[in-house]
Amino acid sequence: MNLLDLDNSWKLLRDQVFGLEHDHPPELGEIGKEIAEKCQGLPFTISVISGHLSKVDRTLESWKDVARTLSKVLASHPDKCLGVLEGFIRISGRSRKSLEEVAVYYLEDLISRNLIMARKRRFN
């Protein structure tokens, strides 16, 4: 698979965060392109980051925070694509959820980040 150029990286990120028909807020355009550029044309990295961006507030400050975090992670682990996941999963010791509820939450989170694809859902 070839690396994406900046325009296609931004298009992939934008489409995955906002959907194909939805336009993005203008103030997120520049920082979005900066985030896409930091993904170095890697579609998997862009998919992971877009999954995360779809869960955070769509504000300039939130996206700048993601850009800063992404820079630090990629600088410390430049050869590890999965490094972009560090710092995005928060564990709370005060949770009163059952293990099953926690597992379902993380499964849904992985699906929404495009890390896994659910072929079929069943009651169990």
Side-chain angles (χ1 to χ4, degrees):
M1 177 178 267
N2 294 330
L3 297 178
L4 301 176
D5 61 15
L6 179 57
D7 288 337
N8 286 323
S9 294
W10 167 233
K11 182 180 181 328
L12 177 61
L13 187 134
R14 184 187 64 218
D15 290 350
Q16 288 187 348
V17 173
F18 299 105
L20 297 175
E21 293 88 29
H22 301 289
D23 201 12
H24 66 282
E27 67 271 13
L28 298 181
E30 287 303 312
I31 192 68
K33 289 177 185 176
E34 181 182 325
I35 292 170
E37 184 175 26
K38 289 179 181 183
C39 291
Q40 302 170 353
L42 297 167
F44 177 73
T45 304
I46 295 167
S47 291
V48 171
I49 295 303
S50 64
H52 179 67
L53 287 172
S54 67
K55 292 182 164 268
V56 301
D57 293 334
R58 293 179 180 174
T59 63
L60 185 59
E61 195 54 43
S62 293
W63 282 42
K64 282 184 178 179
D65 187 46
V66 170
R68 279 190 298 270
T69 303
L70 184 59
S71 293
K72 290 175 188 172
V73 170
L74 292 178
S76 62
H77 303 287
D79 58 339
K80 296 180 182 176
C81 187
L82 289 177
V84 299
L85 297 175
E86 289 177 4
F88 293 143
I89 298 175
R90 309 257 192 271
I91 299 172
S92 172
R94 292 181 250 143
S95 177
R96 295 179 185 244
K97 294 181 178 179
S98 70
L99 290 177
E100 183 178 352
E101 291 171 321
V102 173
V104 167
Y105 170 79
Y106 280 115
L107 177 62
E108 294 294 330
D109 188 48
L110 291 171
I111 291 169
S112 71
R113 291 180 192 222
N114 303 313
L115 289 175
I116 60 174
M117 292 178 63
R119 260 185 19 180
K120 187 187 293 186
R121 291 180 186 237
R122 298 179 295 213
F123 71 95
N124 62 355

